[in-house]
Amino acid sequence: MASAWCWNCLSRLRPTPRAILPPPAATPRITSAPFHSTAAQYANPTKKKSSLVATKYRQGQVLKRKKKPKTERARPPAVGERKALRKRIVLSNPNALEVEAMKDLSPETMIDSRLRGSVVGLPLALLDRLRAVQAFKPKQGWSIFRRPGTVLRRDTLEMGRLFEKISGDGDAPQKGKVVKKVITGMKGSGKTVHLLQAMTMAFLKNWVVITVPDARDLVSGDTAYSPIEGSKPTQYVQPNAVSALLVRTVEANSEVLSTLKVSQKHPGLPGLKPSSSLQDLAELGFQDAAVAWTVFQALWTELNATAAAPGLEKNFEARPPMLVTVDGLAHWMTETAYRASDFTPVHAHDLIFVQHFLSLLKGGQSLKNGGMLLYATSTSNNPSSYSLEVGLTQLAARQAGISPTSEQYPQPEAYSNPDARVLDLFKPDTAKEGALELQTLGGLTRDEARGYLEYFAQSGLLRESVNEEWVGEKWTLSGGGIIGELQKLGRHVRTAAQPIAQPAAAAN
């Protein structure tokens, strides 16, 4: 069919001016509709936004941030406050029940076999003196009872009889005798509390008590030390540690030391008067740490004096026996954290303060006026010392009657390289009196465990019927009456569940 439009009509259409049309390069090319005219063909092209922001001349940009609110921080603890809190000793709990008819530890009760297995209280008048010698430890559970007490076990009664004999009392007095013991045992068997009982008995008998509460403090490298001139091999003195020992000795034994006068001549202390007491002598040591070791030597000479020097016989009095205790003996059987001038480790036996106490274990009468040496090992904080284990094993074999020349006598293993100085401390002693003994603490018997657990029930910590069956169960769970495990089992409060009362209408 022919189109209605002819060529003449098409040629008469008015053409579009060139000024209105966009340039050929900017006009989009549309191949599908050559006669299509849309707005996209005549719109201006969009400009790209520049990433740079133009700033005015000398106009700065200020960074604005939101201020965080100030939070008030707690005051940091003072120097030594955390350590004091960690080592704080609490000896009383007002919430605990008071045990009626509880007897105190006295010169009569400490040898009474009828009180075996019962708990006796520590005399209140001696608590300050026991604190002075640091007899209490933070983790011994003193804060769960109304007042501090201790159980009288078989080992305690035997030790009480020894104090009675050495003091010159009782049926068979042995005044002037020296008892030397190394106390060992399992963890929680009561080694440190055994030393506490010994200190209490010594105070009751008016003995002089000298203690080293933690042997690790002398070898941990925290105390100042200096070499002694002219000593071969080189020995070292610790003036601050000696001064601290003199402070403990004066605070705990002031009643005895203040009544004893100086009876020997001490050229190293020219300022000491003949009328001075032993307390005045000891106070010179912690007033000036530089002369602490000289003062300690003078005090030790005075306490072991059996007669006065010429010209000083007027005020001489007999010296009382002494109790020397050391806790943590194994720390003195290895090398210390101190260093020599060539940066080699210093052995504990090269510290003259440590050597003095270790020399008391050897043969001879180290305490001329009698007394007792109790050195305890520690299992909670104990360094590994093979030489000490061999020495204690040989000591136990000799007590069992095994001769050192026998084949059954224990010997160090081949190529073990034991420390000869440590083994020398435990060699056989020819002296009949004052020979070193080994005492191993075990668990409580069933009767002693029952008396100990009854004390928990009377204090309100245990709300169960304490009978033979129940005591036997706890005795077995505690590893055969280990007192530390018994304390864990007895300190938990158990209450029986009470039935809920039903209303009267529901009951009917």
Side-chain angles (χ1 to χ4, degrees):
M1 179 179 177
S3 175
W5 294 85
C6 61
W7 177 257
N8 190 18
C9 296
L10 293 173
S11 60
R12 293 180 181 178
L13 293 176
R14 189 177 179 179
T16 304
R18 284 186 173 274
I20 300 177
L21 295 175
T27 304
R29 185 177 180 183
I30 302 176
T31 57
S32 59
F35 299 104
H36 182 73
S37 59
T38 61
Q41 295 181 356
Y42 304 104
N44 295 328
T46 58
K47 296 182 179 181
K48 295 182 180 180
K49 294 182 179 181
S50 177
S51 59
L52 300 177
V53 180
T55 58
K56 295 182 179 180
Y57 181 68
R58 290 184 179 179
Q59 180 180 359
Q61 294 182 355
V62 180
L63 181 62
K64 296 182 180 180
R65 294 180 178 178
K66 294 183 179 180
K67 294 184 178 180
K68 296 182 180 180
K70 294 183 178 181
T71 57
E72 297 182 359
R73 295 183 178 180
R75 179 184 62 86
V79 177
E81 184 176 350
R82 292 178 178 175
K83 183 177 181 181
L85 184 63
R86 186 173 65 252
K87 293 189 174 183
R88 184 181 58 173
I89 305 296
V90 180
L91 298 180
S92 177
N93 182 11
N95 297 323
L97 299 180
E98 185 175 359
V99 180
E100 299 180 357
M102 181 179 178
K103 297 183 179 181
D104 290 345
L105 186 63
S106 63
E108 293 78 20
T109 56
M110 70 183 190
I111 58 174
D112 192 354
S113 59
R114 296 173 298 179
L115 298 177
R116 178 179 174 180
S118 60
V119 177
V120 294
L122 300 179
L124 299 179
L126 299 180
L127 293 184
D128 293 337
R129 302 173 67 179
L130 291 173
R131 279 181 177 270
V133 294
Q134 301 180 11
F136 302 103
K137 303 298 179 182
K139 298 182 180 181
Q140 289 178 340
W142 304 106
S143 60
I144 62 178
F145 300 106
R146 187 79 174 190
R147 55 172 298 191
T150 179
V151 61
L152 289 180
R153 56 198 297 183
R154 178 177 57 85
D155 303 281
T156 307
L157 296 174
E158 292 179 357
M159 183 173 59
R161 297 187 186 99
L162 286 177
F163 274 96
E164 192 81 3
K165 295 178 181 179
I166 297 174
S167 299
D169 304 329
D171 299 334
Q174 299 177 0
K175 193 171 184 179
K177 181 181 178 181
V178 179
V179 177
K180 304 177 184 179
K181 289 187 178 182
V182 176
I183 302 173
T184 61
M186 297 177 56
K187 182 178 180 180
S189 58
K191 298 180 292 297
T192 304
V193 178
H194 191 73
L195 298 182
L196 167 65
Q197 295 171 346
M199 298 176 200
T200 308
M201 295 177 183
F203 285 136
L204 292 174
K205 291 293 185 179
N206 294 325
W207 287 20
V208 176
V209 179
I210 299 177
T211 65
V212 180
D214 191 357
R216 188 178 65 91
D217 294 340
L218 297 177
V219 297
S220 59
D222 300 332
T223 307
Y225 71 109
S226 59
I228 300 177
E229 297 182 0
S231 58
K232 292 183 180 180
T234 306
Q235 296 180 346
Y236 302 85
V237 64
Q238 300 166 293
N240 294 336
V242 181
S243 179
L245 174 67
L246 292 174
V247 172
R248 295 195 301 267
T249 305
V250 170
E251 290 181 356
N253 306 279
S254 58
E255 296 181 2
V256 179
L257 298 180
S258 59
T259 59
L260 300 176
K261 302 297 181 181
V262 175
S263 63
Q264 306 296 321
K265 296 180 180 181
H266 307 286
L269 301 172
L272 190 63
K273 300 179 181 180
S275 60
S276 301
S277 63
L278 297 188
Q279 180 176 351
D280 299 333
L281 171 62
E283 288 178 354
L284 297 176
F286 57 83
Q287 291 176 359
D288 186 7
V291 296
W293 176 245
T294 305
V295 171
F296 177 76
Q297 288 178 311
L299 179 63
W300 188 264
T301 303
E302 291 287 346
L303 293 175
N304 286 276
T306 56
L312 299 175
E313 300 88 351
K314 181 179 179 181
N315 298 324
F316 179 77
E317 295 182 10
R319 293 348 189 187
M322 284 194 299
L323 171 66
V324 181
T325 64
V326 176
D327 198 0
L329 181 62
H331 290 280
W332 289 355
M333 303 300 165
T334 57
E335 295 178 344
T336 66
Y338 296 101
R339 297 284 178 172
S341 58
D342 56 352
F343 206 70
T344 56
V346 176
H347 198 276
H349 293 194
D350 293 332
L351 301 175
I352 193 169
F353 191 41
V354 174
Q355 185 183 7
H356 169 77
F357 286 99
L358 292 179
S359 63
L360 303 178
L361 296 177
K362 296 183 179 180
Q365 194 172 8
S366 53
L367 304 178
K368 296 182 180 180
N369 294 304
M372 192 176 298
L373 301 173
L374 298 179
Y375 291 12
T377 60
S378 176
T379 51
S380 58
N381 182 16
N382 190 26
S384 177
S385 177
Y386 175 74
S387 303
L388 177 62
E389 296 177 0
V390 173
L392 295 179
T393 306
Q394 293 178 351
L395 182 58
R398 292 196 302 270
Q399 287 187 192
I402 301 176
S403 175
T405 58
S406 175
E407 296 180 354
Q408 301 178 357
Y409 190 76
Q411 298 291 342
E413 296 180 1
Y415 308 105
S416 60
N417 193 19
D419 194 341
R421 289 188 290 183
V422 175
L423 297 179
D424 185 58
L425 293 174
F426 305 97
K427 281 186 177 181
D429 190 6
T430 56
K432 296 182 180 180
E433 294 185 1
L436 185 61
E437 303 176 9
L438 179 66
Q439 181 179 3
T440 304
L441 295 182
L444 303 179
T445 62
R446 291 178 181 266
D447 296 336
E448 295 171 350
R450 177 166 185 170
Y452 185 62
L453 293 175
E454 286 177 352
Y455 174 68
F456 280 82
Q458 294 172 1
S459 300
L461 299 175
L462 188 63
R463 300 186 181 181
E464 293 187 10
S465 58
V466 182
N467 50 31
E468 293 295 336
E469 182 180 358
W470 187 84
V471 170
E473 176 188 352
K474 302 306 176 186
W475 184 85
T476 305
L477 292 176
S478 62
I482 299 299
I483 192 169
E485 301 297 329
L486 282 176
Q487 180 183 355
K488 296 178 182 179
L489 296 174
R491 65 187 302 176
H492 299 292
V493 179
R494 298 183 180 90
T495 57
Q498 300 293 335
I500 301 176
Q502 299 292 337
N508 296 332

